Amino acid sequence: MTAQPIDRRIVPAGMRFSEWRAADGWRLRSFAWPPARTPRGSLLFLGGRGDFVEKYLEALAHWNDGGWRLDGFDWRGQGGSGRHLADPLICHQASLEPLLADLAAFVDHWCRTTPGPRAIVAHSMGAHLVLRLLATGHRGIDAAVLASPMIDIRVGAVPGRALGAIARVAGLLGLGERKVWGRDIGDVGGRMTSCPERRDDKIWWKACKPEIATGPPSWGWVRAACRSIASLPPRDLVAVDIPVLMLGTRRDPVVDARAIAQAAASMPRAELMMLDGTGHELLREADAVRLPVLDRIDTFLAARAVRA
């Protein structure tokens, strides 16, 4: 199915936002978007660190047009789901465990209230958390698509282990709530996407709806991410026995491409698509990259996320 162009700066008719309460009472912004016809199944979408739903309207519209019922939410501490710090532009988490608990609770509710088959599409940090959930043996998900999954992180030549050590020291120095760098480097050049128009879309949304905007991560977030990554060793991925499609680029500036390939090799039913280039946000890339990625996802879902 060819992706149809939409206005990426308008929430489509039919998409409805609401409040979903986590077990501890935290308010998360969720959305639901049923298709115009009988759904072929249900798709749960989850973004990455600092994301908000509006960034992905284009991809969501593509799947809605394809007949999927869509649901999702902004992670606590970002998007429309509130903040942990007085400075709302610092993307901070002391631990990713509450996010994992939110995911498990939301998925349980989603599985009870939506038609199957059910698939998850998740990006970066969201993809990492989905893998952690699946590694626990969670049932009810028929397939998962993980784009640029945060199996491990790196910044330039600095690997995740070194970043974790630096973050630990920063925490001991009382800098855990300080931002790692001065500006949101995701807005710079082609670091997240090589498409300047889609990069401008994100900046536009953050300017027009500042309440959903975040910026650089805190040192606490880096430490929390490294701890969460360490809690999911490759041997645990053997337990992920549903079809999984892993997508990434060989020179991703944020996550470790080699770790993605190793994780895919560890799962009995995983497929791997690695692209040339440096883009991290594959669903927001230039069409030369984005459209083949959508085609690969569509093919995977058509073949794998269908019950006999």
Side-chain angles (χ1 to χ4, degrees):
M1 176 180 171
T2 302
Q4 300 298 316
I6 69 162
D7 189 329
R8 298 187 295 266
R9 299 183 181 186
I10 296 177
V11 174
M15 177 181 277
R16 297 289 180 264
F17 289 94
S18 61
E19 180 184 285
W20 183 78
R21 290 289 188 106
D24 62 358
W26 193 281
R27 298 174 180 176
L28 291 94
R29 185 181 68 152
S30 65
F31 78 90
W33 191 6
R37 57 187 184 275
T38 301
R40 62 183 293 188
S42 300
L43 189 154
L44 177 65
F45 179 79
L46 302 161
R49 183 202 69 79
D51 274 345
F52 46 86
V53 171
E54 288 85 350
K55 282 178 61 177
Y56 297 94
L57 294 178
E58 192 171 25
L60 295 173
H62 170 75
W63 293 316
N64 183 264
D65 287 344
W68 291 95
R69 177 206 161 96
L70 300 173
D71 294 272
F73 62 92
D74 289 335
W75 299 105
R76 65 169 67 196
Q78 63 187 55
S81 295
R83 300 291 183 274
H84 294 290
L85 303 181
D87 184 345
L89 294 182
I90 299 177
C91 192
H92 176 71
Q93 299 288 344
S95 169
L96 298 194
E97 298 310 306
L99 279 66
L100 182 62
D102 292 343
L103 175 62
F106 193 95
V107 168
D108 285 344
H109 172 77
W110 178 69
C111 287
R112 292 194 304 269
T113 58
T114 59
R118 299 178 188 88
I120 296 180
V121 178
H123 167 68
S124 196
M125 181 188 77
H128 162 73
L129 290 166
V130 168
L131 271 182
R132 285 195 60 189
L133 179 69
L134 295 175
T136 68
H138 190 282
R139 297 298 173 185
I141 307 303
D142 297 297
V145 176
L146 308 178
S148 305
M150 191 182 75
I151 308 298
D152 201 356
I153 57 177
R154 63 184 305 115
V155 176
V158 184
R161 183 172 297 181
L163 288 170
I166 295 169
R168 285 193 298 273
V169 172
L172 292 173
L173 294 174
L175 304 176
E177 295 183 356
R178 296 283 187 90
K179 55 188 175 183
V180 174
W181 45 74
R183 61 178 298 190
D184 184 358
I185 59 174
D187 294 336
V188 178
R191 183 175 173 83
M192 295 294 104
T193 170
S194 65
C195 178
E197 292 83 7
R198 292 181 176 91
R199 187 165 63 246
D200 289 345
D201 290 337
K202 184 183 85 165
I203 297 171
W204 182 90
W205 276 109
K206 290 168 70 171
C208 292
K209 293 185 68 173
E211 68 274 15
I212 66 173
T214 52
S218 67
W219 283 112
W221 183 93
V222 175
R223 188 179 187 187
C226 290
R227 283 177 168 175
S228 187
I229 288 167
S231 74
L232 186 65
R235 65 177 178 273
D236 289 357
L237 296 176
V238 176
V240 181
D241 60 357
I242 66 168
V244 176
L245 173 62
M246 308 271 277
L247 302 156
T249 56
R250 294 183 176 88
R251 292 181 292 128
D252 191 303
V254 177
V255 298
D256 192 320
R258 290 173 297 180
I260 294 173
Q262 291 167 0
S266 300
M267 290 182 283
R269 301 178 69 187
E271 303 175 24
L272 177 65
M273 178 182 183
M274 295 298 291
L275 298 92
D276 293 327
T278 61
H280 180 62
E281 295 181 342
L282 296 176
L283 297 173
R284 301 181 63 252
E285 260 292 355
D287 283 352
V289 175
R290 186 182 69 91
L291 294 179
V293 165
L294 285 177
D295 285 344
R296 183 69 181 86
I297 293 172
D298 289 347
T299 300
F300 171 81
L301 291 177
R304 305 301 184 189
V306 176
R307 292 175 179 157

